[in-house]
Amino acid sequence: MKLTGVELRRVRLPLVAPFRTSFGTQTERTALLLRAVGADAEGWGECVAMADPLYSSEYEGACADVLRRFLIPALGGLRRLDAAAVAPALAPFKGHRMAKAALEMAVLDAELRTRGEPLARALGAVHDRVPCGVSVGIMDSVPELLDAVAGYLDEGYLRIKLKIEPGWDIEPVRAVRERFGDELLLQVDANTAYTLADTRHLARLDAFGLLLIEQPLEEEDLLGHAQLARSLATPVCLDESITSARSAAAAITLGACSIVNIKPGRVGGYLEARRIHDVCAAHGVPVWCGGMLETGLGRAANVALAALPGFTLPGDTSASDRFYRTDITDPFVLADGHLPVPDSPGLGVVPLPEVLEEVTVGTEWIPL
Ligand code: NPG
């Protein structure tokens, strides 16, 4: 069955509380959703790009543009809805992995719905629920942070990730460790905010028994990460630097990381994400599933991915209410620190029409 067209839909969801990272503060999530339509099946995709190019060079407006002008038209030649054919069809267009990932996700959902197969099964999942961590933003004060962490632990989250930046690192980490004890699974995420000149400073984090430090240096600096990793007892995990299975293999071989955060949107899709999982598993490198404030659509797919065997660390697969009072799908609800892996065909979730309508800012139909 052929694709007849793709709908691009821009949505805007308010966040339950501002989310501050080393690259900015978010109070709402705008996102681009895709609906791939075939003769008798349709599938949903979600683009993880942010409104502004602060986390990555990609951003929403650019994703919509490249999808509309190049990527969606390139699928016109596909004879059937076949997710494995999407990446090769899009390969002539350089970069734009977030846009490509969203399109592949929509086609994959449509294909799996046609076949009646859940995404988790298609990817090779081995669990029916996944342990969940939560990412805690930078706060105005340490007491405020301690309250936030206490709240998440009460909700049942099994691992805490603290966002850090120069000026908000040693003290908040020390305070959380002292208050919640050595058993707490605790990690930090710098989102590229440091340089190699900070090596001695970052080594002070070694005292706190962290699971990992995520992406301390800039995205392209694999050698710098390798050098830093040799000076730290805390394992270095890469996020922004990992854009493909090839870059993951290079980073591991260079000693730039010993743990990998896999974000399907960042690497061009769930199929490449699975390849990264496989490469890491072959090297004995643990992986975990990152998050980018996905709606229930992306969350469903991330939870399916996180159920693969190499995902041995809790991911940023938090419940819908971590960010949204009302999700666009039935909400993902934490139970005993875990989220259930959807077991219906495709993503296993669909947007709730009335909520979707409420959050929609605009739609556009790209015929094929
Ligand atoms: O749970 O969805 C989530 C958010 C987890 O902290 C999180 N994501 O750098 O990993 C990150 C960060 C992020 C958020 C990155 C938004 C880019 C955009």
Side-chain angles (χ1 to χ4, degrees), residues 19 21 23 26 48 50 55 135 161 163 189 191 214 239-240 261 263 290-294 299 316-318 322-323:
F19 183 52
T21 63
F23 57 86
Q26 268 181 275
V48 296
M50 300 280 135
Y55 166 84
S135 174
K161 156 167 145 178
K163 291 292 193 179
D189 183 4
N191 288 113
E214 188 179 350
D239 170 12
E240 285 90 327
N261 167 343
K263 284 182 183 157
M292 293 189 56
L293 288 77
E294 284 87 350
R299 207 160 287 277
D316 283 342
T317 47
S318 38
R322 159 67 184 89
F323 291 108

